[in-house]
Amino acid sequence: MTISHGPYAFGSPFITWAGLFMIAGVLIGGALFARAMARQGVERRTAFGIVLVSVFGGLAGARLLHMLDYADFYTSAPFHIFYLWAGGYALWGGVLGGLAAGLCQAGRQGLARASTAASAAFPGAVGLAVGRLGGVIGGDPPAAASSLPWAVTYDHPDSVAFAGGAAVHPVALYEMLWDVAIAVGVLRWGRRAPEGALMPLALAAWAVGRSCIAFVRVDPVTFGLQQAQWVGLMVIAAVVLWAWQSGLWRRLRAGDGDGPTRRSP
């Protein structure tokens, strides 16, 4: 399959497909989150306030982590730090920064952080899936060459995934499908997760998927792995440590997670 769209939408150098679908993902995910919080008796104004804070936290985290990954470039051309319309966001930074900011805001509003995080698991996965559609159209991120039947050729030279006419792995599509799988899993089995466990388990699943998909991405490598893989390993380690200290393994083995502990996300 050949995709001829460049990264810019409607011929504007300030509007990208990735940016448009990122906004769509935020709007759809935010609406789903507000709906989930409304089931807990939380006002929509409060829920959307958490979403707004999460967006700013996510943008800051995504930009900072990307700058760290490409430190040599930004050191040599520091003015590019302010080229926010030109891309340059690390998805892990966006997820972790947005989650941290949102939970802090939930705590300020007197809401339980565990239930708030659980309510955000399904909307977050859906929002990520919608956002990744922009990468499928615009050709982002860069990917390794592939001869598989579903490989994609991005023939627009401005696409990040442009490979001189060669077919590449549709990395954004892989990630979008993994996001959808996590959303389905949360919707199907989320009620069985013990209190406080849904978001950590979803994050660990996302980390596993993104770390595997990263093997067909073309990104800077540090000590043999890409940034997404190092962050994913740290997230997995943190979830495993939390599960051990919190007794989650014992609760799951004892069957405590077999019944519903919350409303469906």
Side-chain angles (χ1 to χ4, degrees), residues 13-244:
F14 302 106
I15 304 175
T16 64
W17 292 111
L20 282 177
F21 280 94
M22 180 184 72
I23 293 172
V26 168
L27 293 176
I28 294 172
L32 290 173
F33 174 73
R35 181 181 178 186
M37 295 297 285
R39 296 194 190 103
Q40 302 179 30
V42 178
E43 294 182 358
R44 287 186 176 272
R45 180 176 179 179
T46 301
F48 280 119
I50 295 173
V51 172
L52 184 60
V53 171
S54 296
V55 168
F56 285 111
L59 287 173
R63 190 64 170 175
L64 288 173
L65 196 58
H66 172 78
M67 288 166 55
L68 179 63
D69 204 20
Y70 291 85
D72 292 341
F73 170 75
Y74 286 102
T75 301
S76 61
F79 52 88
H80 276 278
I81 293 173
F82 305 103
Y83 286 21
L84 302 180
W85 61 87
Y89 300 94
L91 198 51
W92 261 123
V95 169
L96 296 179
L99 181 61
L103 293 182
C104 286
Q105 178 65 13
R108 293 191 191 99
Q109 296 295 327
L111 302 175
R113 291 188 175 92
S115 60
T116 301
S119 297
F122 176 73
V126 171
L128 287 168
V130 173
R132 252 347 190 185
L133 186 56
V136 175
I137 297 173
D140 186 23
S146 173
S147 59
L148 294 171
W150 55 82
V152 177
T153 300
Y154 289 96
D155 61 4
H156 196 291
D158 289 338
S159 294
V160 178
F162 176 71
V168 299
H169 285 277
V171 171
L173 178 61
Y174 294 164
E175 294 188 353
M176 185 180 73
L177 293 176
W178 187 245
D179 295 335
V180 171
I182 291 175
V184 172
V186 170
L187 197 61
R188 176 65 179 83
W189 295 290
R191 288 188 175 189
R192 297 186 179 185
E195 186 67 27
L198 185 56
M199 179 57 80
L201 292 175
L203 279 176
W206 197 61
V208 170
R210 291 206 77 223
S211 297
C212 293
I213 293 170
F215 285 110
V216 294
R217 287 185 59 150
V218 179
D219 277 324
V221 173
T222 303
F223 299 115
L225 295 176
Q226 298 174 21
Q227 180 198 78
Q229 294 171 311
W230 282 119
V231 177
L233 288 174
M234 287 188 284
V235 168
I236 293 170
V239 171
V240 170
L241 180 61
W242 168 82
W244 179 265

